[in-house]
Amino acid sequence: MSKTDRTLPDTALADTGPAGADPARWKALVFIALAQLMVVLDATIVNIALPTAQEDLGISDGNRQWVITAYALAFGGLLLFGGRIADLWGRQRTFIVGLIGFAVASALGGAATGEAMMLGSRALQGAFGALLAPAALSLLAVMFTDAKERAKAFGIYGAIAGGGGAVGLILGGFLTEYLDWRWTFYVNIPFAVVAAVGAYLVIREPAGARNRSALDVPGVILSTLGLVALVYGFARAEHSGWSDGLTIGMFVASVVLLGAFVVTESKVKAPLLPLRVLTERNRGGVYLSLGLAIIAMFGLFLFLTIYLQVVEGYSPVKTGFAFMPMIVGMIVGSTQIGTRLMTRLPARWLMGPGFLVAAVGMLLLTQLEIGSSYTALILPAQLLLGLGMGTAFMPAMALATHGVRPTDAGVASAMVNTSQQVGGAIGTALLNTIAASATTSFITDRAAGAADPKLLQFQGMVHGFTTAIWWAVAILVVAATIALVMINAGKPGADGAGAASGGEGADAEVKIPVIAH
């Protein structure tokens, strides 16, 4: 046994799993999943608490959106950097530092005494989240190499990634209604502490999985500024309009900066994001289709939350529970359908039909009206959405990192999170703008003869939602088409699935032994 290859004690040889597998991998999955749940929860839990927090801290209506945007900018802008740090510094270490930093930032947010402290804590949460998220996914990528085990692990991870946002709405409703909005921040601390202690005790990285090349500083600067400009452009468009000068300027700056980033990455010796990670058609197809699906999903969260609370008068807690069918659908789709079929079918035959099933669920919601039956319309629509997204997410998460070099696992994982984060920013801004425009047009056309202005306002709001949901249906169909056309890998859980039909040469799947005999 080679001394340099030993990363676990000799008791590892008693493991009954696949040869060379880490005997603590399933324990590690518990703590990785817990951390992922915390990050995904935070994306929606604050939305429920925002109106109360705004009033307590005296945040103006104009600056209210920065509570969400500050997090999104830091998280989206630093993801690639965070993924590269995980490859360079070690994924376990990066994971633990990200957890501790996220907990500290959450404590600052809960203790905020004013606007500046709140916005600063949210940006800090985003920065540490950008370390934590790619480290978590890349740990799964290098620890689970057996086909069936990989399917189960990514099924659990995919269910959490897809359903955690809806769980956040339930938890946020409970905490805001029965405790205090500050607990939507404090609740992260026990999650982070348990996950960090568990990660320190049980996670052991495979030998030879680090990328110790010098850090690509120009790539870090260009990618961070380019992604920040892109996310901020969409965030600004939501409240200032698409024709606003600064909005247009941000988009132009983003194109220039990201274009310069691609040119730089093609020339430097040790790039931040090796272009081989993007140009392999299967991973490229996953990033693109997943980003589009998230656009549709995030818009729906926003519309349904407003519809249930404002139009139908649901309490925060009742609104959270109203999302339960989507959570159940995602868990079933990911852990039962996706996991069971992942080693039997090519990824595109799970992702494409999954997105189409979700599109059918979204299509049902285009029939939304004031007083629509929850049981007859909203519940089945959410079940279909959850089943479709859960089935598609799981193979997407697995294929996005499957077949990459071990030294590229961090940045490949970061690209998954980047596509989700940018997709979320685009979805919120794009669909909300479409809905607002349709609402304004509806009310303007009918204002003269309206007997009940408040009823007209609600009718206009629902009309705006259904108009935007039609766009979401189309976006999901496009995502399904991209998945079916671009992704041509074999069974994503099978050996060698990471290689495209043409092969990636040195970038083909690498098995990482924990114990060398």
Side-chain angles (χ1 to χ4, degrees):
M1 181 181 292
S2 170
K3 191 173 182 178
T4 56
D5 284 334
R6 184 191 296 271
T7 58
L8 293 170
D10 287 334
T11 52
L13 296 174
D15 176 48
T16 57
D22 185 340
R25 60 195 176 281
W26 291 109
K27 293 179 183 177
L29 175 61
V30 172
F31 301 112
I32 292 170
L34 188 65
Q36 173 66 10
L37 178 62
M38 179 188 71
V39 172
V40 177
L41 282 176
D42 196 73
T44 54
I45 197 171
V46 176
N47 289 333
I48 294 287
L50 185 54
T52 311
Q54 178 189 0
E55 185 177 347
D56 277 4
L57 299 178
I59 301 174
S60 67
D61 287 342
N63 288 340
R64 176 180 57 194
Q65 54 100 16
W66 279 101
V67 176
I68 306 301
T69 304
Y71 177 87
L73 286 178
F75 192 81
L78 293 171
L79 269 168
L80 286 177
F81 180 52
R84 179 66 181 88
I85 289 295
D87 287 336
L88 175 66
W89 200 20
R91 295 170 188 92
Q92 184 213 34
R93 184 183 301 175
T94 306
F95 183 68
I96 293 171
V97 169
L99 283 166
I100 294 170
F102 201 91
V104 171
S106 297
L108 289 173
T113 56
E115 182 177 311
M117 189 172 175
M118 169 59 76
L119 298 184
S121 70
R122 288 292 284 163
L124 201 60
Q125 274 187 313
F128 282 106
L131 278 180
L132 172 60
L137 184 56
S138 58
L139 278 170
L140 286 189
V142 299
M143 292 180 76
F144 289 89
T145 55
D146 176 73
K148 290 184 178 180
E149 289 196 349
R150 189 181 180 90
K152 292 177 183 177
F154 277 94
I156 294 167
Y157 187 91
I160 291 171
V167 175
L169 295 172
I170 297 174
L171 190 56
F174 262 109
L175 294 174
T176 302
E177 195 164 328
Y178 296 117
L179 290 175
D180 185 84
W181 66 265
R182 296 180 185 276
W183 281 97
T184 61
F185 289 89
Y186 291 145
V187 73
N188 291 328
I189 298 173
F191 278 95
V193 170
V194 172
V197 171
Y200 178 79
L201 293 175
V202 305
I203 292 179
R204 298 290 181 269
E205 278 190 78
R210 290 193 192 180
N211 182 347
R212 299 183 185 274
S213 303
L215 190 62
D216 171 21
V217 177
V220 170
I221 294 171
L222 289 170
S223 67
T224 300
L225 293 178
L227 288 171
V228 165
L230 181 63
V231 173
Y232 180 62
F234 278 103
R236 184 173 177 84
E238 185 180 353
H239 62 84
S240 297
W242 297 94
S243 60
D244 174 71
L246 186 55
T247 300
I248 295 171
M250 285 295 105
F251 287 135
V252 171
S254 175
V255 170
V256 172
L257 289 165
L258 293 178
F261 171 69
V262 171
V263 172
T264 300
E265 299 309 275
S266 67
K267 297 181 180 299
V268 297
K269 184 177 180 180
L272 173 69
L273 176 62
L275 296 183
R276 61 179 172 268
V277 173
L278 290 178
T279 54
E280 200 281 305
R281 64 181 292 168
N282 293 287
R283 287 194 292 272
V286 166
Y287 300 146
L288 188 55
S289 61
L290 196 59
L292 286 170
I294 293 294
I295 289 176
M297 199 73 175
F298 266 63
L300 179 73
F301 276 144
L302 177 68
F303 297 148
L304 267 187
T305 301
I306 296 173
Y307 172 81
L308 293 171
Q309 285 197 30
V310 177
V311 178
E312 298 299 322
Y314 282 31
S315 68
V317 171
K318 189 177 179 181
T319 300
F321 275 108
F323 280 94
M324 277 300 293
M326 191 182 299
I327 299 172
V328 172
M330 282 185 173
I331 292 172
V332 172
S334 188
T335 62
Q336 299 303 311
I337 301 173
T339 298
R340 292 176 185 276
L341 297 180
M342 181 175 161
T343 55
R344 301 177 186 177
L345 293 174
R348 62 180 174 180
W349 294 118
L350 292 173
M351 291 179 63
F355 289 140
L356 289 176
V357 169
V360 172
M362 198 76 79
L363 188 64
L364 289 178
L365 290 175
T366 61
Q367 306 306 306
L368 207 61
E369 297 176 348
I370 294 176
S372 288
S373 168
Y374 177 85
T375 307
L377 179 65
I378 299 173
L379 188 151
Q382 286 197 63
L383 278 174
L384 288 172
L385 274 162
L387 283 169
M389 288 294 195
T391 301
F393 274 176
M394 201 279 301
M397 292 290 183
L399 194 60
T401 55
H402 197 58
V404 298
R405 296 175 179 177
T407 52
D408 291 340
V411 290
S413 302
M415 275 305 302
V416 179
N417 289 284
T418 299
S419 66
Q420 290 178 299
Q421 189 65 26
V422 173
I426 294 172
T428 303
L430 176 64
L431 296 181
N432 201 38
T433 303
I434 291 169
S437 177
T439 296
T440 302
S441 177
F442 183 93
I443 293 174
T444 302
D445 290 345
R446 294 163 177 78
D452 186 344
K454 187 173 183 180
L455 177 62
L456 177 63
Q457 184 180 2
F458 283 166
Q459 289 172 335
M461 193 181 294
V462 175
H463 172 74
F465 294 162
T466 56
T467 301
I469 290 171
W470 273 109
W471 281 80
V473 172
I475 291 168
L476 282 171
V477 171
V478 172
T481 303
I482 289 171
L484 289 169
V485 172
M486 283 190 67
I487 298 172
N488 67 351
K491 301 166 189 175
D495 292 346
S501 56
E504 287 187 81
D507 197 28
E509 180 184 8
V510 180
K511 292 290 185 185
I512 311 164
V514 176
I515 299 293
H517 296 282

